Amino acid sequence: MLRFWFDRRVRSAVWQTAILAAFLAAVAWLTANTLDNLARRGIQTGFGFLTRPARFPISEGFLAYEPTQTYLRAFAVGLLNTVYVSVLAIAAAMVIGFFIGLARRSLNPLVRGVAASFVEAMRNTPLVVQLLFWYAVLTIGLPSPRAALEPAPGLFLSLRGLFFPWPVLNGWEIPGWIALAAAALSVGAAWFRRTAARVQIPPPRVIAVGGLGLAAASAWAVGATVSFDRPALQGFNFTGGATLTPEFMALMLGLVLYTSAFIAEIVRSGIDAVPKGQWEAARSLGLREPRILWLVILPQAVRLMVPPMTSQFLNVVKNTTLALAVGYPDFASVMATTINQTGQAIEGVLILMAVYLVVSLSVSTLMNGYNKRIMLVTR
C-alpha cells in the first residue's frame, strides 16, 4: 500500500479525485440548501415557466409577438434584438474606428488632435453614462412630432424617433429566391475553389453576376415593381414608413462611438507596429502613400489587429446588456422583466449566462478561425 502512495502519479490522482469530490459535495450542498430555502418561501423552481404566457409587451422586434405568447417566444424576440444590435454596432464601429485610427496618424495637427480628443473622451467615460446622455438628447432635445425636423424630403426626426420611407416590393418573390440562390452558389464556389483547387468550376463573381442578371430578367418578366411607403403625420405621431425608436438610436450611438474609440487605437497601433522599412521599400518602388497603406501595410497590420479586435467584438456583445438603461428590449431586458414577474431569478440568470456564453463563444470561434487563416506560419 505504501509503495503505491510513494508513486507520484498515484498520489496525484488521489489528490485530484479528493478535490473533485469536495467540489461536487459543496455544489450539491449549496443546491440542496437553495432549493430548500426557495421551497420554504413558496417560490417555484424549474424551467416550466418557459411555456407559460409572458403577459408583457415588447415594444419592437423582428419576430411577431403578442403578450399572450410564451416566455420562450419573448426570449427569442429579445435574443434576435441582441444579435441585430451587436452586428450593426460592430460593423459601424469598425468603419468609424478605422478612419479615426488613420486620423490619429495624420500629419495635420488639427485632424490628429480632434481624433485624439474623440478617443480620450469616448473611452474614458462610462458607457452607461453615454447611453443616458444620448437618450436624454434624443427624447428631450428633439421637438414633438408636430414640429418634427425634416432634414430631407420624407425624413422626419422628433422625440418619437426617426421616420423614413421604406421600399415595398411587389412581385419580387421569384427574383429574390434566384438572387439568394446565386449568392449561396457564389459562396459555395469560393469555398470549393479554395479547398479543391484542381476542380474547374466558374469563378464566384461570374455566378453572382449571372444570377443577378437572371433575377433582373425574371423581375421584368413577372412585372415586379418597387414603391415606397412614406411616413405621414396623423394625430400625435407619424404612421407608415420605417421607424428607428429613440431607445434604439441611443443604444446604437453609445455602443458605436464607445467601441469605435477602442478600435481606432487598435488600428493605429497595428499600423505603427509594421516596420518602417516596409513603407520605405514600397516608396522605393514608386507607390503612393494610399496604395502603400492598402497594398503593403494594412495586410500586415490586420494580423496584429485581429486578437485585440476579437476582444472588442466580445465587449460589444456583452455591453448590449446595458440596453436596459434606455429601455430597448434586448435579451437581458426581456429576462429582467421575466425574473420580476416569475421570481425565478436563479433559472433566469442561468439562462442569461448560458445564452451570452454561447453567443460570445461563437464570435470567438469565428474570429479565432479567421486569425488562424491569416496568421504567418513560421518554423
Side-chain angles (χ1 to χ4, degrees):
M1 182 67 184
L2 289 177
R3 187 180 60 183
F4 286 107
W5 181 249
F6 286 109
D7 188 325
R8 184 179 178 181
R9 290 176 299 177
V10 173
R11 196 167 61 246
S12 175
V14 169
W15 278 113
Q16 291 180 38
T17 304
I19 292 172
L20 179 61
F23 174 75
L24 293 177
V27 171
W29 174 82
L30 187 61
T31 304
N33 196 40
T34 303
L35 293 175
D36 183 56
N37 288 333
L38 290 174
R40 288 181 182 178
R41 296 177 184 178
I43 300 176
Q44 293 182 351
T45 57
F47 295 92
F49 70 95
L50 293 175
T51 57
R52 297 205 302 261
R55 301 191 186 287
F56 63 84
I58 297 179
S59 58
E60 54 186 299
F62 291 95
L63 292 179
Y65 169 78
E66 296 293 336
T68 55
Q69 293 182 304
T70 63
Y71 283 107
L72 207 56
R73 180 77 175 186
F75 292 167
V77 175
L79 178 59
L80 199 56
N81 285 349
T82 294
V83 173
Y84 172 64
V85 168
S86 300
V87 172
L88 279 186
I90 288 173
M94 283 279 290
V95 175
I96 297 174
F98 174 76
F99 286 105
I100 294 176
L102 294 182
R104 289 271 285 144
R105 302 186 70 261
S106 173
L107 298 177
N108 187 314
L110 178 60
V111 175
R112 191 171 61 249
V114 170
S117 301
F118 172 83
V119 170
E120 297 302 332
M122 290 297 118
R123 71 176 181 177
N124 290 312
T125 50
L127 176 57
V128 66
V129 176
Q130 296 186 33
L131 293 177
L132 294 175
F133 169 77
W134 290 116
Y135 188 65
V137 168
L138 293 172
T139 55
I140 300 175
L142 292 177
S144 65
R146 290 185 181 277
L149 305 175
E150 189 176 3
L155 187 68
F156 299 97
L157 182 63
S158 72
L159 57 84
R160 298 290 178 84
L162 178 67
F163 301 85
F164 54 92
W166 189 253
V168 178
L169 306 178
N170 298 312
W172 283 87
E173 291 81 5
I174 295 176
W177 281 112
I178 293 175
L180 190 62
L185 288 175
S186 301
V187 174
W191 178 81
F192 200 73
R193 285 169 65 90
R194 187 179 299 278
T195 56
R198 295 181 179 178
V199 180
Q200 296 298 323
I201 58 177
R205 60 178 179 276
V206 174
I207 297 176
V209 172
L212 291 177
L214 185 60
S218 63
W220 177 79
V222 299
T225 59
V226 179
S227 59
F228 285 91
D229 182 16
R230 300 180 182 279
L233 182 63
Q234 291 186 357
F236 296 101
N237 203 357
F238 288 92
T239 58
T243 309
L244 298 181
T245 63
E247 293 79 14
F248 175 79
M249 290 193 293
L251 179 62
M252 286 300 297
L253 280 171
L255 283 176
V256 170
L257 296 180
Y258 181 79
T259 308
S260 63
F262 291 91
I263 290 179
E265 286 300 276
I266 294 172
V267 171
R268 181 191 62 79
S269 59
I271 293 175
D272 287 345
V274 177
K276 291 183 179 179
Q278 297 293 314
W279 290 89
E280 295 169 354
R283 289 189 189 108
S284 68
L285 295 176
L287 295 177
R288 295 183 176 182
E289 296 295 317
R291 291 183 64 80
I292 296 174
L293 180 66
W294 285 106
L295 299 179
V296 180
I297 304 302
L298 279 180
Q300 301 179 65
V302 165
R303 296 191 179 100
L304 306 172
M305 296 177 194
V306 170
M309 204 73 81
T310 302
S311 299
Q312 290 306 315
F313 293 170
L314 295 176
N315 286 339
V316 171
V317 174
K318 290 180 284 188
N319 285 339
T320 57
T321 56
L322 295 176
L324 188 63
V326 294
Y328 182 76
D330 77 319
F331 185 70
S333 176
V334 172
M335 184 57 71
T337 306
T338 301
I339 292 174
N340 287 335
Q341 284 192 350
T342 62
Q344 295 186 245
I346 295 178
E347 292 86 348
V349 173
L350 285 175
I351 294 174
L352 196 63
M353 293 171 62
V355 167
Y356 276 96
L357 181 63
V358 170
V359 175
S360 297
L361 288 179
S362 302
V363 174
S364 180
T365 301
L366 288 174
M367 292 301 294
N368 288 336
Y370 178 67
N371 186 40
K372 185 177 180 181
R373 179 183 169 190
I374 65 171
M375 69 184 301
L376 287 176
V377 180
T378 58
R379 292 182 179 179

